[in-house]
Amino acid sequence: MEKQVISTTAAPGAIGPYSQGIGLGDLVFTSGQLGLVPETGELADGVEAQAAQALRNVAAVLEAAGSGLDKVIKTTVFLKDMNDFAKVNEVYGTFFTAPYPARSAVEVARLPKDGLVEIEVIALRS
């Protein structure tokens, strides 16, 4: 199988030597998406807004790959502060429906651009 680079202007561009996403066969792997607003390149204000924007960015990358949030099988959520877990979880729950994807959530020391949350996913294309 050959890797396919996934790219879209509907999500923030990569800020380093990586792709927004990679397709491999029936799978799509997104890079971590911050709560950056694509039009401005600025972080949304607050953890809930950043979580929602991060998930909209993930959705845009998945759409460019021929997938969608309904085909996500695994998510990883990186939080600057685990005390924000409940707030992020509430936002997260508005983007996914049962059966929910498998998920990990971890607190990290720091995120790029001093973001409060970053989300990456693995999804099916078919």
Side-chain angles (χ1 to χ4, degrees), residues 25-28 62 65-68 70-74 122-126:
D26 289 339
L27 294 175
V28 177
L62 291 175
S67 185
D70 61 324
K71 296 182 181 179
V72 172
I73 55 176
K74 172 71 167 84
I122 301 170
L124 296 171
R125 279 207 259 206
S126 56

Side-chain angles (χ1 to χ4, degrees), residues 2 4 7-9 15 19 30 41 66 71 75 79 87 90 94 98-99 109:
E2 189 171 319
Q4 174 194 12
S7 181
T8 178
T9 58
I15 55 176
S19 301
T30 71
K71 296 182 181 179
T75 66
L79 298 162
K87 293 175 186 176
E90 188 171 325
T94 67

Side-chain angles (χ1 to χ4, degrees), residues 6-122:
I6 309 300
S7 181
T8 178
T9 58
I15 55 176
Y18 61 90
S19 301
Q20 289 173 314
I22 292 289
L24 183 66
D26 289 339
L27 294 175
V28 177
F29 302 82
T30 71
S31 289
Q33 295 295 312
L34 296 167
L36 292 171
V37 178
E39 296 80 16
T40 67
E42 299 295 322
L43 286 166
D45 189 30
V47 71
E48 294 98 336
Q50 285 187 30
Q53 186 61 56
L55 286 163
R56 285 191 291 271
N57 294 340
V58 164
V61 174
L62 291 175
E63 184 178 326
S67 185
L69 290 175
D70 61 324
K71 296 182 181 179
V72 172
I73 55 176
K74 172 71 167 84
T75 66
T76 306
V77 178
F78 303 95
L79 298 162
K80 179 174 167 80
D81 185 346
M82 193 56 81
N83 290 318
D84 289 331
F85 179 81
K87 293 175 186 176
V88 171
N89 199 48
E90 188 171 325
V91 172
Y92 181 96
T94 67
F95 283 81
F96 294 101
T97 57
Y100 299 104
R103 179 179 73 187
S104 301
V106 296
E107 181 179 275
V108 297
R110 192 169 179 198
L111 290 167
K113 297 196 173 252
D114 290 321
L116 301 175
V117 62
E118 181 174 1
I119 301 172
E120 66 182 28
V121 306
I122 301 170

